[in-house]
Amino acid sequence: MSGLGEVAAVAQLVGMVFKGVSILAEIRANMKDGPGSIQEGEMKIQRVLKLIAEIEYGQADNALVKAFTSRLQQDVLLLKEKLKGLSINAEDGMLVRLGKSIKQKCKEKDVLKVEKRLEQEMAMVNTCQGAMANAMIKDIHSLIIPKELQLATSTLQIGPARSNILTTGSTNESLFVGRVTLMESLQSKLEVDGVHTRAALCGLPSVGKSSAAREYARQYGTRYPNAVVWAVNAETYSSFQRDLYEMGIPSSGNTYPFPENIHGRLSSRSLARWLMVLENANDWNLLVGPGSILQHIPRSSNGSVLFITRDKYVARRLVSTTNIETLDCFNKPEAEELLRSIIGKPNLASEDAASVDELLKILSYQPCLILSAASFMSANSISIRAYIQEYCKDENVMTDHLCNVQDFVTSRFSTAESKISLASWYDDLIGLFEHIRKTEPRAADLLCFMACLAMERIPKTLLSSKPLPTLESDISKALRVLTRHCLVIGDEDFLLFSVPQMVRLAARRWLTEHRCLDFWVNAAFCSVYQRFPEVNSEKETLERCNAYFVHAEEVLRRRELARERLDDEATLAIRCSEYLRVKGHFSRAVEFATDANMWNRNRFGATGEKTLTCLGKLAALLREQGIFIKAREIDERILGQRIRVQGPRHLATMVAMNGLASAFHGLGWYKKAAKMHNHIFRVRKSVLGPGSPETLASMANLCRSLASLGVLNPAEKIAKKVVLLKSKLYGPEHPSTIISMQTLGGIFRRRGKYIEAEHLFKAVLKTRKISHGDDMHPEVLLAMGNMVAVLEDRGKFQDAKTLAEEVLSASAEKLGPKHPNTIRHANNLSEILIHLKDFEEAERLKRQVLRDRQAILGRSHPDTLYTEDGLKYLLGIKYPEWQHSPMVLLLAG
């Protein structure tokens, strides 16, 4: 940018700063106590915050702009505090006026009038924050309820919401589900006779800590009817004082009581047993020290304290490690129980089980997300499948929906006490995130980065890249901050991490609102691309691919939404495709290769070098899937372009010709394939030499085509030579060597050398199982299929049948029932059943194989004709009187 352009850009940003200053001045001039003025001021502050975000997005390095912006941010914070104070004053004033009116009714001792007045004004009271409304209701009760009844009845208040008051020992049905193990654990930790006990509940905001405390307190009151249970909000010292007042601690006049008064109340021997729940116990300095909260809570032998905190560091300092319970997402039965409790058993029973599982996986078994979704579905009579289709296919739509779900009252409870706040999870998480941004900015950046990766199994090695800190100590420190607040979960070795779904959704929404999601997605993409290796058969390489694949898949999915393509996207997609091919997931490999081909074609054109290379890989995957016709069309297009641009004897042209020859072989055109492979072999031998890997690959392909043509003697000589040369070049256990050994074993079998074939096939099967570590890998199943054929050749039909059924079942599950390998295994089993004289099942399998091969390979393919002859042979055995009759042809269809 020129110097004049820089000056113009800075001037524009300075202008935006002064615009924000003028808005703040307008707020100060019009600031009043009225709710209208407060709301208007809050709206204008939001306008200023947007201006600040736009200024920061401009990324100006000008010191003047940075200074102005910093001062503007400070002014915004000061004004927000003033508006908050005005809001509290306005609410307290309203409550005072309301209290005078209601207390006047109370003096008349007319309970009906009091209840009617409460019902009229409760909506207004519930809009306020703080505890004054609760105190007012308590004063009203003191005028109506006899003092003796007050002393015999204790109340439980969970959090600042007045709708959550519950009488201990109440027989009302609880909304709480699940967490059975947690309840039992808290009981064993807190309910020890004659000993003061303390425990802590840790977890994310809105994960259900307060609900768990409510349920435990309800059960506690049921087990100990004479016990007293309190809940105190320990977020601030003021909230602690207010809740003491609500607990009935003596005070003088209209002021809140001194905290010292609680010590004597809890130490009183008149209390048989007591439990105190300290909510929002997140500030260590507020909890411990001279004049702090815990100084006024005695360690009396008849009492227990349950801390609710989001900070593991605070929890570890408050109680012993064994007395800390960390709340995570539900397990599957608990999630289904919660869904059923909101939707109702009849509605849930009618839903498709697959839809239920899909929804719970999408919501990651998080209680508050399930509660939000289930509440919306129940209130609007929407099925789970319809809900998934409408709200869960797009992440932004789903997040906005879950953040905006209104309060829902279940059909079982019609009173205000049953109302459940659903949409606070986002605000709670963002509040925590903003706190970390101010105190630990590197940890906040790390969370933004991790939110753009897959949810689970994030390796620590993936986190050391720009713009993140690159020092190991800095990364570890940032991770400790995130795990301390339960925003990130680490394994025992602190090497693998996961980010809860709620945190990911909230972080991505925040990044989107602040227009920096693309920045962090690109950073995550670059980190994954740098670490995802070129795929080969080495074990270490495959382990690295396995560690990074889910994250590569996630960043590619996120990059699909970006406006501009990156040069390396197609490369990463091809690497993912190659990894999936090696693992035997051919269908998914085709999807990645197709995406890569589309990106390359749009960026480099249909004839670009990268496009043609990518097309070749796609064609190879189609051949693996048995889609030979489409693969042939792609291979012919690639070969034509290679010949036009690079000439008929260029090595790249030979690669394209080899792909086309393989397609010909798959289509059963063995003569054309053999002719092409022979030409490729001669060209490569003359250009690269007889011992090059490419020349050996051509020899192996030529051998396979000759064997298919029935030219077995030359094919056996070539196959032996290829196995010998590859063993020297790669080693006897290299995948390329194993393929050639498999080809040689097939030739031995066709020549009647069953012992030699069995020896080779056993070695191939053993190596395949070791290298893949998966008995259901397609290459392992293919090796097992070869063993089936050898057992059949040697007359071990019962053993062959058992193994063939196992292979067929596994292949159908792994590759699908229409894959060429599965069809081949089915045909092998039918041949064995003929020997075992199970003609009915053999005929059923033969007919199925014939139909599949006719549909996939065509009626003239050699494999189809072979199957047709086999069916005729079977029918001739089954119906001997028609063995030489045309009726056999009719029966064969």
Side-chain angles (χ1 to χ4, degrees):
M1 183 183 291
S2 65
L4 185 60
E6 291 178 359
V7 172
V10 172
Q12 183 181 5
L13 294 174
V14 172
M16 295 169 68
V17 172
F18 282 110
K19 183 178 179 181
V21 172
S22 65
I23 294 174
L24 294 182
E26 183 180 349
I27 296 173
R28 291 191 189 94
N30 299 324
M31 190 177 291
K32 299 177 182 178
D33 285 350
S37 172
I38 294 171
Q39 186 176 8
E40 182 181 357
E42 290 175 346
M43 292 174 62
K44 289 181 179 179
I45 281 181
Q46 292 300 321
R47 288 173 56 193
V48 177
L49 290 174
K50 289 183 179 179
L51 280 174
I52 293 174
E54 292 176 5
I55 294 169
E56 291 177 342
Y57 185 72
Q59 297 180 356
D61 294 328
N62 188 278
L64 180 63
V65 175
K66 288 185 176 180
F68 282 159
T69 306
S70 176
R71 179 57 186 271
L72 188 61
Q73 289 173 331
Q74 294 175 10
D75 289 347
V76 168
L77 292 175
L78 291 174
L79 275 178
K80 286 179 72 175
E81 288 297 322
K82 289 183 178 179
L83 285 174
K84 185 177 179 181
L86 286 177
S87 177
I88 293 174
N89 291 337
E91 290 175 358
D92 288 351
M94 180 192 70
L95 290 172
V96 169
R97 292 191 296 272
L98 179 61
K100 289 180 180 179
S101 175
I102 296 178
K103 287 182 180 181
Q104 186 64 36
K105 296 288 183 182
C106 290
K107 290 178 181 178
E108 300 173 5
K109 303 295 182 180
D110 190 335
V111 177
L112 294 177
K113 288 184 179 181
V114 173
E115 291 180 347
K116 185 176 181 180
R117 179 64 176 171
L118 279 173
E119 185 178 351
Q120 291 173 351
E121 303 295 345
M122 187 57 69
M124 186 181 300
V125 177
N126 275 335
T127 61
C128 300
Q129 306 238 342
M132 187 174 287
N134 273 335
M136 184 172 63
I137 293 172
K138 182 177 178 180
D139 288 343
I140 295 168
H141 286 187
S142 68
L143 294 173
I144 301 173
I145 304 175
K147 294 292 183 181
E148 295 80 7
L149 185 59
Q150 288 186 52
L151 293 175
T153 306
S154 56
T155 59
L156 168 67
Q157 163 100 29
I158 296 294
R162 289 160 303 282
S163 59
N164 287 336
I165 296 177
L166 179 69
T167 301
T168 57
S170 171
T171 58
N172 291 338
E173 184 180 358
S174 174
L175 287 171
F176 189 84
V177 298
R179 310 292 194 195
V180 176
T181 305
L182 174 65
M183 295 297 109
E184 294 174 351
S185 179
L186 287 177
Q187 182 179 353
S188 65
K189 290 176 172 60
L190 291 174
E191 299 175 26
V192 181
D193 293 334
V195 179
H196 180 79
T197 54
R198 298 186 176 190
L201 278 179
C202 263
L204 278 172
S206 299
V207 78
K209 301 186 296 294
S210 294
S211 298
R214 178 199 302 273
E215 174 63 13
Y216 174 70
R218 188 186 69 81
Q219 295 181 13
Y220 186 93
T222 302
R223 287 190 290 270
Y224 307 104
N226 296 324
V228 181
V229 182
W230 290 287
V232 181
N233 185 2
E235 185 173 9
T236 65
Y237 202 75
S238 298
S239 66
F240 179 64
Q241 282 186 301
R242 285 196 299 267
D243 286 351
L244 293 183
Y245 179 75
E246 294 172 18
M247 288 163 57
I249 305 300
S251 61
S252 58
N254 294 323
T255 61
Y256 290 130
F258 290 104
E260 289 80 357
N261 297 334
I262 190 177
H263 195 283
R265 175 72 180 272
L266 295 179
S267 300
S268 173
R269 294 184 179 180
S270 62
L271 290 178
R273 200 171 193 130
W274 58 266
L275 169 68
M276 177 172 286
V277 179
L278 276 181
E279 274 209 322
N280 298 313
N282 303 315
D283 190 339
W284 171 252
N285 295 323
L286 182 64
L287 292 168
V288 179
S292 59
I293 290 175
L294 291 185
Q295 184 181 9
H296 309 295
I297 301 178
R299 290 182 172 270
S300 59
S301 59
N302 60 335
S304 302
V305 181
L306 177 59
F307 300 97
I308 301 178
T309 179
R310 69 189 183 204
D311 194 328
K312 287 184 177 180
Y313 171 79
V314 172
R316 284 194 292 267
R317 299 186 71 177
L318 289 171
V319 302
S320 63
T321 306
T322 56
N323 277 22
I324 297 176
E325 293 289 342
T326 302
L327 266 69
D328 202 350
C329 59
F330 274 164
N331 56 35
K332 186 178 178 180
E334 289 175 334
E336 289 180 350
E337 184 182 357
L338 177 59
L339 193 64
R340 188 181 296 109
S341 69
I342 302 300
I343 295 180
K345 285 187 178 181
N347 295 333
L348 185 56
S350 64
E351 295 282 358
D352 179 23
S355 300
V356 174
D357 290 344
E358 182 180 356
L359 177 64
L360 295 179
K361 287 179 181 178
I362 290 172
L363 301 178
S364 298
Y365 304 98
Q366 293 288 350
C368 71
L369 300 185
I370 297 171
L371 183 60
S372 299
S375 302
F376 183 83
M377 286 186 286
S378 179
N380 295 278
S381 301
I382 298 177
S383 68
I384 293 180
R385 175 50 53 189
Y387 180 86
I388 292 173
Q389 292 294 334
E390 186 171 355
Y391 294 105
C392 298
K393 293 302 181 183
D394 182 87
E395 183 181 285
N396 294 329
V397 173
M398 180 178 72
T399 307
D400 290 340
H401 165 72
L402 291 174
C403 287
N404 294 313
V405 173
Q406 299 301 313
D407 287 346
F408 170 74
V409 181
T410 63
S411 58
R412 294 179 297 161
F413 292 83
S414 58
T415 59
E417 285 79 0
S418 63
K419 187 173 287 188
I420 305 168
S421 178
L422 300 175
S424 63
W425 66 273
Y426 176 75
D427 296 332
D428 293 342
L429 284 172
I430 292 304
L432 176 57
F433 177 68
E434 292 287 2
H435 169 72
I436 293 176
R437 279 188 73 212
K438 294 176 183 177
T439 57
E440 297 286 348
R442 287 184 174 180
D445 288 346
L446 186 62
L447 181 61
C448 293
F449 179 86
M450 297 175 76
C452 298
L453 297 169
M455 186 168 66
E456 297 180 344
R457 299 189 63 80
I458 302 174
K460 193 175 183 180
T461 54
L462 202 55
L463 306 179
S464 57
S465 63
K466 294 181 179 179
L468 300 174
T470 54
L471 293 177
E472 174 73 18
S473 58
D474 292 339
I475 297 173
S476 297
K477 180 181 177 182
L479 285 170
R480 282 195 295 271
V481 171
L482 296 177
T483 53
R484 165 183 170 178
H485 293 285
C486 302
L487 294 171
V488 168
I489 302 170
D491 66 354
E492 293 181 358
D493 299 324
F494 215 61
L495 296 176
L496 290 175
F497 302 88
S498 61
V499 182
Q501 176 75 325
M502 283 196 308
V503 178
R504 293 175 78 239
L505 293 176
R508 286 178 176 177
R509 189 171 195 246
W510 185 91
L511 292 172
T512 301
E513 290 174 349
H514 290 75
R515 297 186 296 181
C516 49
L517 179 61
D518 285 348
F519 171 81
W520 288 107
V521 168
N522 291 344
F525 172 85
C526 292
S527 180
V528 174
Y529 175 76
Q530 292 168 5
R531 288 163 177 78
F532 200 99
E534 292 281 354
V535 182
N536 56 42
S537 58
E538 298 295 331
K539 183 178 181 180
E540 182 180 352
T541 302
L542 293 178
E543 287 176 352
R544 289 177 59 197
C545 290
N546 185 57
Y548 298 131
F549 171 73
V550 290
H551 308 293
E553 185 177 24
E554 178 66 18
V555 296
L556 285 173
R557 188 180 68 83
R558 302 298 310 180
R559 282 295 309 163
E560 287 179 0
L561 307 176
R563 297 177 181 177
E564 297 181 0
R565 301 261 68 86
L566 298 176
D567 291 344
D568 298 324
E569 282 180 71
T571 305
L572 181 58
I574 282 296
R575 291 178 185 175
C576 291
S577 176
E578 286 292 304
Y579 168 70
L580 290 170
R581 181 191 63 79
V582 171
K583 298 296 288 184
H585 304 295
F586 300 122
S587 299
R588 294 189 65 200
V590 169
E591 293 175 5
F592 277 91
T594 302
D595 289 341
N597 178 56
M598 179 185 65
W599 295 334
N600 278 331
R601 187 174 65 248
N602 293 337
R603 190 165 183 83
F604 304 107
T607 59
E609 176 64 28
K610 289 189 175 181
T611 306
L612 293 177
T613 302
C614 184
L615 264 177
K617 295 181 182 295
L618 176 58
L621 286 168
L622 292 174
R623 292 194 298 271
E624 293 272 10
Q625 286 282 82
I627 311 174
F628 298 113
I629 296 176
K630 187 174 181 180
R632 188 199 72 183
E633 294 173 356
I634 295 175
D635 286 323
E636 286 177 341
R637 188 162 72 246
I638 297 172
L639 181 59
Q641 182 65 25
R642 292 295 192 193
I643 291 175
R644 281 192 297 272
V645 175
Q646 292 157 315
R649 293 178 63 84
H650 193 277
L651 293 179
T653 306
M654 294 299 103
V655 173
M657 188 177 293
N658 184 73
L660 182 58
S662 298
F664 285 164
H665 188 278
L667 289 168
W669 302 349
Y670 301 135
K671 288 185 179 180
K672 285 186 176 182
K675 184 177 179 180
M676 273 192 169
H677 283 310
N678 187 43
H679 174 72
I680 297 166
F681 167 67
R682 293 181 182 280
V683 172
R684 284 178 169 174
K685 183 178 179 181
S686 63
V687 175
L688 301 173
S692 70
E694 292 83 359
T695 305
L696 291 179
S698 299
M699 287 177 65
N701 292 332
L702 176 60
C703 171
R704 191 163 62 99
S705 295
L706 292 175
S708 298
L709 286 170
V711 188
L712 298 178
N713 192 35
E716 182 180 339
K717 292 179 181 179
I718 296 174
K720 287 180 177 179
K721 185 176 181 180
V722 169
V723 170
L724 180 62
L725 293 174
K726 283 188 174 182
S727 297
K728 291 181 179 179
L729 182 63
Y730 301 120
E733 296 182 354
H734 191 274
S736 182
T737 308
I738 293 300
I739 292 174
S740 296
M741 289 172 63
Q742 198 164 258
T743 302
L744 179 58
I747 295 172
F748 281 157
R749 181 175 160 262
R750 293 183 64 181
R751 299 200 69 186
K753 301 178 180 180
Y754 301 132
I755 296 177
E756 293 89 335
E758 184 176 5
H759 175 74
L760 279 177
F761 286 152
K762 282 184 176 179
V764 168
L765 179 59
K766 180 180 178 181
T767 305
R768 290 291 195 199
K769 284 186 174 183
I770 293 173
S771 61
H772 293 296
D774 178 11
D775 288 347
M776 289 188 63
H777 192 280
E779 291 181 347
V780 175
L781 296 177
L782 196 60
M784 292 172 69
N786 290 331
M787 286 301 302
V788 170
V790 168
L791 291 173
E792 179 190 357
D793 293 335
R794 301 195 65 185
K796 301 177 181 180
F797 301 122
Q798 196 60 50
D799 294 340
K801 177 190 173 185
T802 303
L803 184 57
E805 289 174 339
E806 178 186 345
V807 172
L808 177 59
S809 174
S811 183
E813 179 182 348
K814 183 75 173 182
L815 301 174
K818 304 299 181 183
H819 192 277
N821 287 0
T822 307
I823 297 172
R824 184 182 300 114
H825 298 317
N827 188 70
N828 289 344
L829 179 57
S830 69
E831 298 284 350
I832 296 168
L833 292 174
I834 293 174
H835 290 291
L836 293 173
K837 302 187 184 307
D838 188 354
F839 298 130
E840 294 296 332
E841 182 63 16
E843 182 181 353
R844 186 191 67 80
L845 281 174
K846 277 289 184 185
R847 290 187 181 279
Q848 184 62 51
V849 169
L850 181 59
R851 284 193 296 270
D852 291 340
R853 283 180 167 172
Q854 286 175 344
I856 297 172
L857 303 176
R859 290 181 175 273
S860 60
H861 193 282
D863 289 349
T864 307
L865 299 176
Y866 174 79
T867 307
E868 188 175 327
D869 290 340
L871 180 58
K872 292 176 184 177
Y873 172 76
L874 169 60
L875 294 174
I877 298 175
K878 189 175 179 181
Y879 306 103
E881 64 274 16
W882 294 341
Q883 187 171 7
H884 302 290
S885 169
M887 186 61 69
V888 172
L889 299 177
L890 293 175
L891 289 172

